[in-house]
Amino acid sequence: MIPQTAPSARLVTAALKSHRAHTHRAFYATIRSLRQPPPSSLDPDDAPTSDNDFILSILRANPSLRDTRSYLASFGPRPQRSAPAPSEDIIIPPPHTTNEPVAKSIPIALEHPKPSPIIASILNPVYRRTALVKVQGPFTDVQLDSITRGLVYLEKLGLVSVIVVENDDLPRGEQDERSAVVEETMRVVTSLEKHGARARPVVGAVVRLGPKSGEDDIPLERDFVPPESHTVPSDLIPIRSALRAGEIPVIAPFALDSFCRSVRVDANDVIAGLARGMVETAAEDRSQQRHSEDGYPEFSEDIDLTPLRLMIIDRHGGVPSYARSGYPHLLINLTSEYQHIHETFDHRWNDTHPTALSNLALARTCLAYMPPTSSAVMVSHKSPSSLIGNLITNKPAVSSSLPHALLQGNRKLTPHTPTLLRRGLPVRVIRSVAEIDQAKMNHLLEQSFGRTLDNSSFYARLEKSLDFVVVAGDYAGAAIVTNEPSPESSEPISYLDKFAVLPSHQGDGTVDFLWVALHDESYGLGHPFSANPNGGRGGKGDGRDLVWRSRSNNPVNKWYFERSSGHIRMGSWVLFWCDGEKRLKIEEGRRGSAGLSYIEEWEQGRLGKWADVVAKIPSSWK
């Protein structure tokens, strides 16, 4: 059980333990890892300022309890277990004080001593994972220092970067091309070491051009193009060696061609090949990992090669969005939005964000091989501290499901706000009960609410009142909207009857994807930015006020408060609503600088009508 302390405090403590643990891990490091920058090159004020910035970056992330648990599940100490029974090789005292006598003799020496998992968890309190990082310059020395400082902070939190360097201004095909690429790689190494990290340049080719043997037999998703590069296990030896030594590998963008020549290639080809190769090698490592007699894996100083994050750091930041007047997308569902982003990409952005679409394609390729919980982030050099927030929460800097007007007025939303990308799920809209897979819907609702659904009465009511259902994936989430008749009006009330996401998909972006689709089909209709590819109305129509209720003690209410236009309390219930945005926008435009009134004519008495209708809606549960 996680102690009930502040989430940020726990993360700070874990990070500081990780920082101290570097001393203990020196036993496993190579001689090269003992390098330290010359004392004269360090500013005496750098250390305390850096530590303070690091802690403040964690606190600014403001992680929730769920975020903290998710972070600790990936990077926290491995679960400890009771000590194994004494063997002929070694006798370990019991972990707790008992009345039983402790063994009197311990072997003087062991031929091959190995730390036990308990000792390993003490020496390595933070479990280290890897991230693929593309550093795409050119950057000035000051800009590069800002970037590498952020990557060093991530290492303290357990995320070790595997960096591929790119510089768009370096000449291609010229005589001094290789030396210029190596020099740029060494700039990144020097900058990392300036901030106290240990880094190793890798200037040999780590990927091979061309298809991988046997990949033609692997079924691919529609429109998915595999990377033009691949690796074999021996190619990853330099990276594995650096990680074992506690060093950050910094890789030059070279690859072996069909004639075994080392040639310069686009960094995207190197990263895509590494993403696939590191995932495959990590899977092979796990299959070959030896286990002790009690079934637990034996201790190993290796880092899990499976990339947990893809980070693309350049001068331009995220992918521009038509819905935000060129400001970046906040969260992208690659499965359902990839093609739509291409179709709505303004040609003028090819000048301001020349690599946005190629980096979008890179994220799609890499995330296809990485675990479903992985994410990619596109960020400019001006927002390196946001990488810590992304690591801890795995969420966008600003939620994409917040009201559009609030996002436009939020000072945090800038041209340099990062874009978070996830593999995501397909999203579709259905409009009849016959199209609902009732078995899957029942499972979703019962798992999400923890109650038993009254099937017959629930679907009988939907037969009469269903407006539409937004479904994410294979019923990983759903939003059910009904038309509830109003006795005092010919227009029915648009009521959000159910909003549910499977527990296994809470925290992976499904909630935001689902709410954005709900917005686009209900109160957001009529705006150009509501024309998302979810199979619904395509943004055409007039938005209607959306109403729903929630138990007053529902922990999700905080999330509802942020996304609703208002709420009122009705005994043990809270009534929420979202105003139809198009109507408000039209009225506001008519009045110019005068703005809207506190209560408009059409709002007179509507709360009473809503409360009366909503209170009479029967329960769906047994």
Side-chain angles (χ1 to χ4, degrees):
M1 180 176 291
I2 298 178
Q4 296 300 312
T5 56
S8 298
R10 285 198 292 276
L11 291 174
V12 171
T13 302
L16 294 180
K17 285 183 178 179
S18 173
H19 188 55
R20 292 195 295 268
H22 283 299
T23 303
H24 300 286
R25 288 197 293 268
F27 175 79
Y28 301 103
T30 62
I31 296 299
R32 187 178 185 281
S33 69
L34 300 178
R35 292 180 311 181
Q36 295 293 336
S40 60
S41 67
L42 296 176
D43 188 330
D45 294 331
D46 280 352
T49 302
S50 179
D51 288 343
N52 290 339
D53 287 346
F54 173 51
I55 295 172
L56 287 174
S57 296
I58 296 175
L59 296 176
R60 289 192 192 103
N62 192 26
S64 66
L65 186 58
R66 175 181 292 171
D67 297 333
T68 305
R69 285 173 175 165
S70 177
Y71 167 81
L72 293 177
S74 297
F75 298 95
R78 301 296 90 183
Q80 297 184 9
R81 65 184 192 278
S82 300
S87 65
E88 295 179 358
D89 296 327
I90 186 169
I91 299 175
I92 302 176
H96 303 291
T97 303
T98 66
N99 296 326
E100 299 177 2
V102 178
K104 297 180 180 179
S105 62
I106 297 179
I108 296 175
L110 297 175
E111 185 177 353
H112 297 291
K114 295 182 180 179
S116 71
I118 296 177
I119 296 175
S121 68
I122 295 173
L123 298 182
N124 300 278
V126 173
Y127 186 64
R128 297 185 297 162
R129 307 292 295 271
T130 57
L132 278 170
V133 181
K134 178 185 178 184
V135 176
Q136 184 172 6
F139 295 116
T140 65
D141 290 341
V142 174
Q143 293 169 345
L144 188 59
D145 280 349
S146 176
I147 293 168
T148 54
R149 185 185 299 114
L151 298 180
V152 171
Y153 288 170
L154 294 179
E155 186 187 25
K156 293 180 181 180
L157 287 167
L159 191 70
V160 184
S161 300
V162 177
I163 302 173
V164 179
V165 180
E166 182 68 284
N167 188 323
D168 295 333
D169 286 356
L170 290 184
R172 291 185 177 271
E174 297 186 6
Q175 185 174 1
D176 60 347
E177 177 182 21
R178 178 171 291 272
S179 61
V181 171
V182 172
E183 182 180 351
E184 185 69 12
T185 303
M186 293 306 301
R187 278 188 71 219
V188 178
V189 170
T190 303
S191 184
L192 286 166
E193 293 185 335
K194 175 182 176 181
H195 295 292
R198 297 189 294 271
R200 179 186 299 187
V202 179
V203 297
V206 295
V207 300
R208 302 163 186 255
L209 296 178
K212 190 171 184 177
S213 177
E215 75 174 359
D216 293 338
D217 302 329
I218 302 175
L220 299 175
E221 296 181 8
R222 183 175 59 88
D223 298 332
F224 177 75
V225 179
E228 297 182 0
S229 59
H230 66 279
T231 68
V232 297
S234 60
D235 295 331
L236 299 180
I237 289 176
I239 296 175
R240 192 190 292 272
S241 173
L243 295 174
R244 284 176 174 171
E247 300 172 331
I248 297 175
V250 183
I251 302 167
F254 296 129
L256 290 179
D257 64 10
S258 57
F259 298 99
C260 292
R261 298 174 300 188
S262 178
V263 296
R264 182 187 177 189
V265 296
D266 192 284
N268 286 8
D269 293 328
V270 177
I271 294 174
L274 283 176
R276 176 169 60 174
M278 291 170 69
V279 169
E280 293 172 347
T281 302
E284 184 68 19
D285 289 346
R286 285 190 292 272
S287 67
Q288 296 179 357
Q289 188 173 23
R290 293 183 299 176
H291 289 67
S292 58
E293 294 180 359
D294 56 2
Y296 286 88
E298 291 186 354
F299 172 77
S300 171
E301 70 266 26
D302 272 350
I303 297 178
D304 188 345
L305 284 180
T306 306
L308 199 66
R309 295 284 192 278
L310 169 66
M311 298 179 178
I312 301 170
I313 307 173
D314 62 10
R315 294 167 296 168
H316 311 110
V319 181
S321 169
Y322 73 98
R324 310 198 192 286
S325 304
Y327 278 22
H329 282 272
L330 299 173
L331 178 64
I332 293 178
N333 180 345
L334 288 168
T335 299
S336 66
E337 298 178 40
Y338 181 80
Q339 189 59 40
H340 185 67
I341 291 174
H342 276 265
E343 294 170 356
T344 57
F345 195 83
D346 195 309
H347 69 276
R348 293 172 295 181
W349 296 335
N350 289 318
D351 297 326
T352 59
H353 296 74
T355 60
L357 294 181
S358 61
N359 285 332
L360 180 71
L362 173 65
R364 186 192 189 203
T365 300
C366 293
L367 289 176
Y369 294 102
M370 293 161 65
T373 54
S374 300
S375 63
V377 61
M378 296 172 59
V379 61
S380 82
H381 64 278
K382 295 187 177 182
S383 304
S385 61
S386 63
L387 296 176
I388 287 184
N390 168 253
L391 170 64
I392 295 173
T393 66
N394 206 13
K395 296 176 182 176
V398 184
S399 175
S400 59
S401 61
L402 288 170
H404 187 76
L406 179 60
L407 288 175
Q408 292 292 80
N410 194 325
R411 294 182 180 179
K412 292 183 180 179
L413 188 59
T414 71
H416 298 281
T417 300
T419 295
L420 183 70
L421 307 99
R422 305 192 76 112
R423 186 190 305 177
L425 297 167
V427 177
R428 67 188 190 278
V429 177
I430 57 182
R431 301 194 178 276
S432 71
V433 177
E435 297 179 72
I436 300 175
D437 186 322
Q438 294 189 15
K440 293 179 178 179
M441 179 65 78
N442 295 350
H443 175 74
L444 165 62
L445 297 179
E446 292 180 352
Q447 287 290 312
S448 179
F449 288 92
R451 304 178 69 179
T452 303
L453 190 69
D454 187 348
N455 294 358
S456 57
S457 62
F458 176 67
Y459 289 106
R461 198 173 74 80
L462 292 187
E463 288 283 0
K464 300 177 181 178
S465 61
L466 180 66
D467 187 0
F468 64 88
V469 182
V470 181
V471 179
D474 190 18
Y475 288 82
I480 302 175
V481 177
T482 60
N483 288 316
E484 302 297 331
S486 174
E488 300 181 17
S489 173
S490 59
E491 183 179 1
I493 296 172
S494 184
Y495 176 68
L496 177 59
D497 188 276
K498 294 289 184 291
F499 185 86
V501 174
L502 285 175
S504 58
H505 284 269
Q506 293 175 7
D508 69 356
T510 301
V511 171
D512 279 333
F513 296 144
L514 190 61
W515 191 271
V516 169
L518 170 66
H519 162 275
D520 295 346
E521 290 302 307
S522 57
Y523 63 97
L525 271 178
H527 285 296
F529 52 76
S530 294
N532 289 320
N534 53 32
R537 295 189 175 95
K540 299 178 181 178
D542 294 326
R544 298 164 54 196
D545 300 334
L546 182 69
V547 181
W548 71 98
R549 68 183 181 184
S550 175
R551 292 283 182 184
S552 59
N553 60 351
N554 189 344
V556 182
N557 286 347
K558 179 181 182 295
W559 195 83
Y560 286 151
F561 289 143
E562 295 171 344
R563 282 149 187 80
S564 63
S565 301
H567 69 276
I568 58 171
R569 296 191 178 274
M570 306 187 307
S572 59
W573 295 95
V574 180
L575 176 70
F576 295 93
W577 72 90
C578 287
D579 291 316
E581 293 180 347
K582 182 179 179 180
R583 179 170 51 189
L584 292 179
K585 193 71 175 178
I586 293 174
E587 190 63 28
E588 189 177 20
R590 288 174 180 168
R591 301 186 184 187
S593 60
L596 294 173
S597 304
Y598 183 72
I599 296 180
E600 296 295 325
E601 292 182 2
W602 71 80
E603 296 177 314
Q604 295 286 348
R606 65 174 183 168
L607 295 184
K609 299 174 186 176
W610 290 345
D612 182 58
V613 171
V614 168
K616 295 177 182 177
I617 295 176
S619 172
S620 306
W621 312 106
K622 290 184 178 179

